[in-house]
Amino acid sequence: METLIQTTLQNQFIAAWQQAPIDVMPALNAERTKGFEFFMEKGFPTLKDEEWKYTNIQSALKKNWVLNAHNNIEIDFNDIKQYIINQEEHHLLLLIDGKFYPEYSSKIPGAHICSLQEAYQVHHELFMQYFSKQLSTAFNAFTALNTALANEGLFIYVPKNTIINKPIEILNLNGFEEEDVFTHSRNLIIIESSAELSLLQHSHSFQENATFTNVVSECFVGAQGKLNYHTLQLENADSCTVNTVQIVQEKDSLCNTSSITLGGKMVRNDLNFRLVDKNCESHLYGLYLPAGKEHFDHHTFVDHASPNCYSNEFYKGIMMEQGTAVFNGKIIVREGAQKTNAFQSNKNILLSSEAKIDTKPQLEIFADDVKCSHGATVGQLDEEALFYLQSRGIGKDKAYALLVSAFAQDVLQQIALTTYKTYLENLIEHKLKSMFKD
Amino acid sequence: MLSIKNLQARVEEKEILKGISLEIGAGEVHAIMGPNGSGKSTLASVLAGRGGYEVTSGSVSFNGKDLLDFSPEERAQEGVFLAFQYPVEIPGVSTTNFMRTAINEVRNYRGQDEIEPGDFLKMMKEKMQLVEIDQKLLSRSLNEGFSGGEKKRNEIFQMAMLEPKLGILDETDSGLDIDALRIVANGVNKLKTKDNAFIVITHYQRLLDYIVPDFVHVLYKGKIVKSGTKDLALELEEKGYDWIIKEVQAAAV
């Protein structure tokens, strides 16, 4: 049965590949063929694959997924409004099942924003210069498949010296189709030298039905450029996401990321940094709260390929009920990347005996004049702290929720967008309340 | 107000309290003294409901209710307050936010509405002055990075905010310099009324110069071996605990 369903899905991929109009983005054909052949040869990973050892992707694939054909969807904006965090303080870009809907999106002065296919036409040279350039050396099944089959997605180009002051809220709403769809979507974000951009990308399920989203975002930050990239996953308990973000930083650039995972059956976030020139600074913050039968997996990879760069990573996890999570943080300091400062910390608390975390920090250093540290902790809530709160009259459930929120605070306080931060605090409080109520 | 009868308690397999009886009335201050390991802090913990202590015998009645039947939060809501010997640091929760939550939980238990934000701020200001604590300290994470004195002042501040019927001070004087000790003691004295009571647990007589007890009890090996007035504390200060221990041993023979 398992094999049959997967064969069905694989047959859909093959059919899509064979039917793909070669004239959609013809200059990509060689790259796409490479991706497709990679996938056909390797297939989806199993638990034997070191990078997927603790995330059973085979079980997430075990469903009658229908490959998304990206039909145009009639949208009533009133149905969407409730998902928007703040339309006054943020620009809005709307993606429905991975497809960009410009008619419901803001016009953003200074930035060039369009769909992937339009970018291929309008910004062809730029597009070809960047598309898949950093991925293809290290394809995995999902990025390979995405490269082969993704025709939809978002393109953001911020030219040299342009500063986009207002944060851009990218709203991903999934599950508009009748069936449980498997979607590929691809985003390309180019920030040229001395340009600045803040993104706030959040994904939700629009309906009850399940979705499987395989999204790849490639970000390029030019010399002295600045990118803030916040992501939030909040999908329903049947939906799966594999989200790969590849960030390449040029000289003197700065990148702040936060990755918050609050909902989904299986969420896998791969966040890869390549620091290709001197004096780059990268901050990676993350927070995950799986409950029920949710499984959240965060893989990060910081590639210090140049000297004098700084990276700081701080991820925290709160596992409740039967929730499980994976943290795998890899740092490589390449030969010649002297004066590297690379720090990583992962802290977890387990709130039930059935909750689980697999955490694995990895540090590989090939330079001799560097400062690096990493560490991971797994614990329970401090009983003495709990008693302290109770002894002031605070009920046990509320005390629990207060302590858990407090545990999350030092990640949240790194988020400079106050409206977004408050939004997150409310979501977390809500999730905790539903956990601890009798 | 509080009636402890033949209270026996243990931690794991170790008997710590071996039959304590004590009557505390409204408006009274009782000091409990004794050498290290005599069971002073255990008594405080058992009264406040800390986990890990098993009451094997005896009863504790608080205003006619069985205190031991209540959860720690219910005891607090009923009006018992424990000032911790080692206040806990809680990163990410400010004292202000913590106090607002606590007060509203207590009010909710008593069937009152949540406190008005304006009233809460007014109350904060008033009680802050009582223990000479700074607003800035209270907006920081609870006890995190506080000095020993700041932590103890924060305990008394919280007690002032919650206005308990029974305040239990567990070695509040430990680790305090003389100035901090005076501030803390002043705070407690200002909170004293004819309707509330205090148990002051201390190893030294020093604190009792400032918080003058109506009764002094000496705890030794899990039992109250001697009770008296504040003069007993002075005698202990002068002669140490040895003479009482000898007395107890002599009586046993």
Side-chain angles (χ1 to χ4, degrees):
Chain A
M1 176 88 169
E2 185 180 333
T3 342
L4 186 71
I5 285 168
Q6 279 181 45
T7 311
T8 314
L9 185 60
Q10 187 146 337
N11 285 340
Q12 291 183 63
F13 293 148
I14 295 168
W17 175 247
Q18 284 166 349
Q19 290 157 17
I22 49 163
D23 52 349
V24 173
M25 294 187 274
L28 297 182
N29 281 351
E31 188 65 19
R32 300 187 124 188
T33 305
K34 224 162 75 184
F36 194 72
E37 282 170 356
F38 180 97
F39 174 73
M40 289 308 287
E41 193 195 323
K42 300 274 165 74
F44 284 113
T46 66
L47 295 179
K48 285 181 195 140
D49 188 324
E50 189 59 31
E51 293 296 305
W52 295 85
K53 201 171 167 183
Y54 302 107
T55 293
N56 191 344
I57 202 72
Q58 299 290 338
S59 109
L61 292 164
K62 211 190 291 176
K63 200 178 186 83
N64 288 310
W65 298 111
V66 176
L67 191 61
N68 191 349
H70 287 294
N71 301 312
N72 266 319
I73 287 165
E74 290 287 322
I75 298 162
D76 182 351
F77 196 70
N78 288 318
D79 297 338
I80 287 169
K81 268 188 195 154
Q82 55 169 310
Y83 296 97
I84 299 168
I85 297 173
N86 193 312
Q87 226 183 328
E88 282 75 48
E89 289 178 28
H90 308 144
H91 294 297
L92 178 73
L93 301 177
L94 176 66
L95 278 84
I96 301 284
D97 282 307
K99 184 177 178 175
F100 179 48
Y101 280 74
E103 58 273 39
Y104 299 102
S105 299
S106 316
K107 303 284 171 275
I108 303 172
H112 299 265
I113 293 172
C114 60
S115 72
L116 200 67
Q117 291 183 36
E118 191 183 330
Y120 175 85
Q121 303 290 345
V122 179
H123 303 280
H124 189 72
E125 212 170 300
L126 198 66
F127 187 95
M128 294 308 295
Q129 191 187 332
Y130 288 104
F131 185 86
S132 193
K133 281 297 173 287
Q134 293 289 335
L135 284 177
S136 51
T137 47
F139 269 149
N140 64 35
F142 289 95
T143 57
L145 202 54
N146 186 286
T147 302
L149 297 176
N151 282 323
E152 298 297 342
L154 183 65
F155 174 83
I156 301 178
Y157 165 47
V158 186
K160 205 173 162 178
N161 297 326
T162 307
I163 294 167
I164 311 295
N165 281 320
K166 227 176 176 183
I168 298 178
E169 186 176 329
I170 304 172
L171 172 58
N172 286 78
L173 281 179
N174 297 327
F176 274 75
E177 302 282 347
E178 295 294 313
E179 301 96 350
D180 295 337
V181 292
F182 190 108
T183 299
H184 295 291
S185 123
R186 181 70 165 242
N187 306 315
L188 182 58
I189 294 152
I190 301 163
I191 296 152
E192 283 189 337
S193 57
S194 303
E196 293 182 15
L197 178 69
S198 280
L199 298 175
L200 192 175
Q201 182 165 20
H202 53 120
S203 307
H204 307 261
S205 300
F206 184 67
Q207 298 179 90
E208 295 288 298
N209 52 344
T211 56
F212 194 119
T213 311
N214 174 20
V215 52
V216 173
S217 303
E218 294 178 275
C219 309
F220 297 86
V221 188
Q224 292 171 305
K226 186 178 167 188
L227 170 66
N228 297 318
Y229 194 177
H230 303 284
T231 54
L232 164 67
Q233 316 272 4
L234 183 55
E235 295 188 78
N236 66 30
D238 295 315
S239 291
C240 303
T241 298
V242 178
N243 176 33
T244 308
V245 175
Q246 173 71 54
I247 295 174
V248 179
Q249 284 186 248
E250 297 282 350
K251 195 174 176 179
D252 301 319
S253 62
L254 168 65
C255 190
N256 299 308
T257 62
S258 74
S259 179
I260 315 288
T261 310
L262 297 180
K265 180 186 183 188
M266 188 287 302
V267 177
R268 164 74 176 234
N269 279 313
D270 278 15
L271 174 60
N272 306 319
F273 274 83
R274 258 176 69 72
L275 313 179
V276 297
D277 208 340
K278 288 177 196 166
N279 297 325
C280 293
E281 190 178 325
S282 319
H283 298 268
L284 300 77
Y285 295 102
L287 183 66
Y288 41 93
L289 286 88
K293 290 186 187 329
E294 291 174 326
H295 176 81
F296 302 157
D297 179 344
H298 290 83
H299 268 61
T300 65
F301 175 33
V302 182
D303 186 348
H304 279 270
S306 297
N308 294 92
C309 293
Y310 171 91
S311 71
N312 181 32
E313 176 168 15
F314 187 40
Y315 272 61
K316 280 189 140 182
I318 298 158
M319 277 56 66
M320 297 167 276
E321 298 175 334
Q322 291 156 294
T324 55
V326 177
F327 174 81
N328 189 302
K330 189 171 173 180
I331 299 171
I332 286 191
V333 181
R334 301 211 183 255
E335 202 183 336
Q338 301 294 8
K339 306 281 180 196
T340 288
N341 284 303
F343 307 105
Q344 184 193 90
S345 163
N346 174 231
K347 293 182 178 172
N348 300 284
I349 47 173
L350 299 171
L351 298 186
S352 96
S353 57
E354 291 171 293
K356 196 177 157 219
I357 170 78
D358 287 292
T359 173
K360 185 178 168 193
Q362 284 174 279
L363 190 52
E364 292 173 30
I365 304 174
F366 301 99
D368 53 16
D369 184 13
V370 301
K371 259 189 226 157
C372 297
S373 72
H374 65 169
T377 61
V378 180
Q380 273 93 36
L381 270 193
D382 180 359
E383 287 293 323
E384 183 65 8
L386 192 64
F387 174 63
Y388 191 61
L389 298 186
Q390 284 179 274
S391 78
R392 301 308 184 238
I394 299 173
K396 196 170 184 177
D397 292 346
K398 204 163 216 167
Y400 245 111
L402 204 62
L403 288 176
V404 174
S405 304
F407 180 80
Q409 256 311 314
D410 48 2
V411 169
L412 294 177
Q413 73 189 17
Q414 301 296 336
I415 294 170
L417 306 174
T418 44
T419 308
Y420 177 52
K421 192 176 146 231
T422 311
Y423 173 78
L424 287 176
E425 282 167 347
N426 290 336
L427 285 177
I428 291 168
E429 195 182 322
H430 183 74
K431 184 157 187 171
L432 293 174
K433 251 187 200 154
S434 63
M435 286 307 110
F436 294 126
K437 69 163 185 254
D438 284 325
Chain B
M1 174 184 289
L2 185 75
S3 172
I4 304 174
K5 289 204 172 86
N6 188 33
L7 184 65
Q8 299 184 29
R10 64 181 180 192
V11 178
E12 284 162 8
E13 290 307 301
K14 198 173 183 310
E15 296 287 338
I16 312 266
L17 302 184
K18 296 171 185 169
I20 289 183
S21 296
L22 187 61
E23 295 291 328
I24 294 177
E28 296 173 358
V29 175
H30 289 245
I32 293 181
M33 303 185 71
N36 288 327
S38 57
K40 303 190 297 290
S41 286
T42 298
L43 178 61
S45 293
V46 168
L47 293 179
R50 188 193 297 267
Y53 296 86
E54 192 195 342
V55 174
T56 49
S57 179
S59 67
V60 181
S61 155
F62 181 62
N63 290 327
K65 293 176 183 166
D66 181 1
L67 192 69
L68 301 176
D69 213 28
F70 288 129
S71 66
E73 59 267 33
E74 284 166 338
R75 296 179 197 203
Q77 290 157 356
E78 285 287 336
V80 176
F81 182 95
L82 171 66
F84 279 48
Q85 184 178 3
Y86 304 107
V88 184
E89 298 193 6
I90 306 184
V93 179
S94 70
T95 306
T96 310
N97 186 18
F98 165 54
M99 270 295 104
R100 188 180 295 117
T101 310
I103 283 174
N104 283 331
E105 287 273 288
V106 172
R107 290 175 72 100
N108 183 36
Y109 179 82
R110 295 176 186 165
Q112 298 164 317
D113 287 337
E114 290 206 348
I115 190 165
E116 293 290 328
D119 293 345
F120 177 74
L121 287 177
K122 211 174 120 199
M123 190 175 175
M124 284 268 295
K125 266 203 183 123
E126 190 189 312
K127 309 291 184 183
M128 269 158 49
Q129 284 169 1
L130 206 68
V131 287
E132 299 173 35
I133 202 164
D134 198 70
Q135 170 80 52
K136 272 187 214 136
L137 210 59
L138 301 182
S139 45
R140 274 171 42 187
S141 281
L142 188 52
N143 292 329
E144 196 186 29
F146 284 25
S147 71
E150 286 169 339
K151 281 180 185 172
K152 295 296 171 75
R153 270 191 277 165
N154 194 2
E155 293 294 289
I156 305 305
F157 167 74
Q158 291 173 31
M159 184 164 80
M161 291 292 285
L162 291 167
E163 297 173 336
K165 293 178 193 131
L166 174 67
I168 304 165
L169 310 184
D170 187 8
E171 306 220 10
T172 296
D173 50 338
S174 68
L176 289 189
D177 62 37
I178 195 72
D179 290 330
L181 187 76
R182 210 169 45 226
I183 292 170
V184 163
N186 273 337
V188 175
N189 286 331
K190 284 180 198 155
L191 294 175
K192 260 172 66 180
T193 69
K194 62 178 176 32
D195 299 318
N196 61 20
F198 292 92
I199 298 175
V200 180
I201 291 171
T202 180
H203 186 81
Y204 303 103
Q205 189 270 339
R206 196 173 67 149
L207 179 63
L208 306 180
D209 284 341
Y210 299 97
I211 305 173
V212 181
D214 301 299
F215 302 95
V216 174
H217 311 278
V218 179
L219 199 61
Y220 177 64
K221 287 191 171 170
K223 279 183 175 171
I224 290 175
V225 293
K226 204 170 182 68
S227 293
T229 61
K230 66 180 195 309
D231 297 336
L232 178 57
L234 291 170
E235 201 175 350
L236 285 168
E237 176 74 3
E238 201 181 307
K239 301 202 266 184
Y241 287 106
D242 284 355
W243 66 277
I244 289 188
I245 294 169
K246 274 180 197 146
E247 249 185 47
V248 173
Q249 281 163 350
V253 171

